[in-house]
Amino acid sequence: MKTYSTPAQIKVGVVGYGGAFNMGRQHLQQMKDAGMTPVAVAEVDPARLAVAMQDFPGIKTYATVAEMLEESDVELVVVITPHNTHATLGLQILDAGRHCILEKPMAITTAECDFLIDAAKKHGVTVSTYHNRHWDGWILKALDVVRSGVIGNVVRVDLRMGGHAKPGTWWRSSRSVSGGVLYDWGVHLLEYALQIITAPATEVSGYAAEGHWAAQPDAAYPNDANEDEAQLVVRFETGQRINLTITTLDATLKRGFVEIVGTKGTHLIEWGEYETTVVQPDGSRQITKAKNPPDEGYRFYQNIAAHLTAGEPLVITGEWARRPIHILDLAMQSAKQGRALPVVYP
Ligand SMILES: NC(=O)c1ccc[n+]([C@@H]2O[C@H](COP(=O)([O-])OP(=O)(O)OC[C@H]3O[C@@H](n4cnc5c(N)ncnc54)[C@H](O)[C@@H]3O)[C@@H](O)[C@H]2O)c1
């Protein structure tokens, strides 16, 4: 594998410098903070390239990833574009012998993840996915609670997000671009749950409701809308399960977006605080509520830099990033076929 003596030798660039959340700036800044050297930005929108030049004076800009790969000596490229472009752009980068990090979701299908992982192996470079939320304060706290044994053995993890709300007009609401309603926050939530339940998954059932928002007269994507609501259940060898729902139709969504149910209690994560309920031997409840600890997502790029310089094991491997995508891919097929589908590990 291509490695370096110091993080500063790793010249980094991004593809996509969008304005929705200023993610291009966040990536370049975090890579810089981890000691790496920002050198290049590729973006199809000239106005956003102008913003990148203001944010990082002297950075080289390109209208396409092909020009960037041809003209720049960038060593590591991050893809921060709409979901349906990840696999093609990632393959272009890996085939040019550069390390590649894809924003989440790694890609839309299992097959796309597999060809990205294979291409990285073939060219002796690293492929990873920016699962910065792996280090969110609330999930780090939840893992501490689970590992302490205070809520007993984990029986299931329920994850839910949304409400009753009309989808926006941005690309995230277009199914062919986003992958579907589960592919945005759903990927973060699944990645949380897969840290909590580590047993092998055996099968996935998916469910979808659609057509409500797409039928409204002002629908942004009448023929290409996300599902109004989608849900999946993952069964594990241990009998444990994950239950994920992302909805735009639920007027009374239950409070808390992550709920870990154990044999002795429940840990609930809300935006501001967490709540751990432990059932005492006399049947009474001991409830602990506290503020969620701060996020540590910057550790993602610290790990990437340490991996490429000192051989530190990669936390978010291509294979790890493939796991939630395989589950989403199976859930989409399962919803269409009306039956559970088996999980296939590479
Ligand atoms: N990890 C997180 O916390 C987090 C947060 C927000 C977004 N994201 C992810 O980041 C990615 C981008 O989302 P966003 O909100 O920044 O979107 P965005 O629409 O703000 O930005 C996307 C940018 O990509 C550019 N682009 C599209 N195709 C391109 C191409 N072929 N070459 C070069 N540039 C191209 C667009 O012009 C646009 O400026 C998505 O995968 C999203 O899920 C992750």
Side-chain angles (χ1 to χ4, degrees):
M1 219 246 317
K2 214 169 171 185
T3 54
Y4 308 84
S5 319
T6 64
Q9 288 177 355
I10 311 169
K11 295 180 183 166
V12 298
V14 298
V15 182
Y17 204 84
F21 299 97
N22 277 314
M23 291 308 289
R25 183 187 303 157
Q26 174 170 321
H27 280 266
L28 286 177
Q29 192 56 51
Q30 284 188 356
M31 289 192 279
K32 200 172 161 191
D33 293 345
M36 297 182 267
T37 308
V39 297
V41 178
E43 165 63 63
V44 292
D45 178 354
R48 293 303 303 169
L49 280 181
V51 175
M53 283 190 279
Q54 269 177 2
D55 290 345
F56 295 91
I59 202 150
K60 293 271 187 310
T61 57
Y62 304 90
T64 65
V65 69
E67 282 171 36
M68 179 203 257
L69 294 170
E70 180 84 21
E71 294 168 25
S72 162
D73 57 359
V74 63
E75 303 273 345
L76 181 160
V77 181
V78 189
V79 175
I80 320 172
T81 55
H83 304 165
N84 65 331
T85 63
H86 290 189
T88 312
L89 291 169
L91 196 62
Q92 226 176 320
I93 292 159
L94 293 165
D95 280 347
R98 318 297 172 87
H99 306 287
C100 177
I101 293 167
L102 301 133
E103 251 296 357
K104 48 53 66 172
M106 182 181 197
I108 291 178
T109 66
T110 312
E112 289 172 343
C113 295
D114 287 341
F115 72 58
L116 289 166
I117 293 167
D118 288 349
K121 281 192 189 131
K122 182 171 149 199
H123 296 290
V125 291
T126 294
V127 67
S128 179
T129 293
Y130 184 68
H131 274 298
N132 56 327
R133 291 191 172 280
H134 186 86
W135 293 271
D136 275 349
W138 49 54
I139 194 66
L140 296 176
K141 178 69 200 177
L143 286 164
D144 280 351
V145 169
V146 168
R147 287 169 187 157
S148 76
V150 70
I151 62 166
N153 298 326
V154 172
V155 173
R156 65 178 151 87
V157 182
D158 286 352
L159 312 123
R160 47 189 173 254
M161 207 169 273
H164 194 281
K166 184 172 143 187
T169 55
W170 56 357
W171 60 258
R172 281 174 169 74
S173 307
S174 151
R175 194 181 314 193
S176 61
V177 180
S178 71
V181 74
L182 292 175
Y183 275 83
D184 195 17
W185 256 97
V187 180
H188 289 307
L189 294 175
L190 260 185
E191 204 263 343
Y192 290 160
L194 291 169
Q195 290 190 65
I196 295 162
I197 302 185
T198 54
T202 56
E203 64 172 28
V204 176
S205 297
Y207 309 85
E210 46 196 303
H212 173 70
W213 295 114
Q216 304 303 312
D218 58 350
Y221 300 98
N223 302 312
D224 182 34
N226 281 348
E227 308 86 337
D228 296 321
E229 172 176 296
Q231 184 180 15
L232 64 83
V233 181
V234 188
R235 184 192 299 275
F236 291 84
E237 244 174 48
T238 45
Q240 295 165 293
R241 61 196 187 277
I242 289 174
N243 186 352
L244 166 70
T245 305
I246 306 283
T247 180
T248 60
L249 289 182
D250 190 334
T252 57
L253 195 70
K254 245 180 114 184
R255 85 183 166 96
F257 58 94
V258 180
E259 188 172 17
I260 305 162
V261 176
T263 48
K264 296 182 187 164
T266 293
H267 183 79
L268 187 78
I269 304 177
E270 298 193 272
W271 290 111
E273 57 181 19
Y274 67 86
E275 183 180 296
T276 312
T277 304
V278 179
V279 181
Q280 305 299 300
D282 65 2
S284 64
R285 267 56 172 166
Q286 185 191 62
I287 299 176
T288 309
K289 276 189 191 202
K291 231 173 121 215
N292 291 308
D295 298 338
E296 299 177 21
Y298 59 87
R299 286 168 59 186
F300 175 83
Y301 278 121
Q302 289 184 344
N303 173 244
I304 294 288
H307 176 68
L308 293 176
T309 54
E312 184 175 293
L314 201 59
V315 176
I316 311 295
T317 58
E319 288 78 6
W320 175 257
R322 175 195 187 273
R323 291 193 72 192
I325 305 310
H326 183 46
I327 290 169
L328 293 181
D329 187 355
L330 290 176
M332 298 293 89
Q333 295 177 49
S334 160
K336 283 195 194 103
Q337 297 177 26
R339 63 188 176 103
L341 295 173
V343 171
V344 180
Y345 287 106

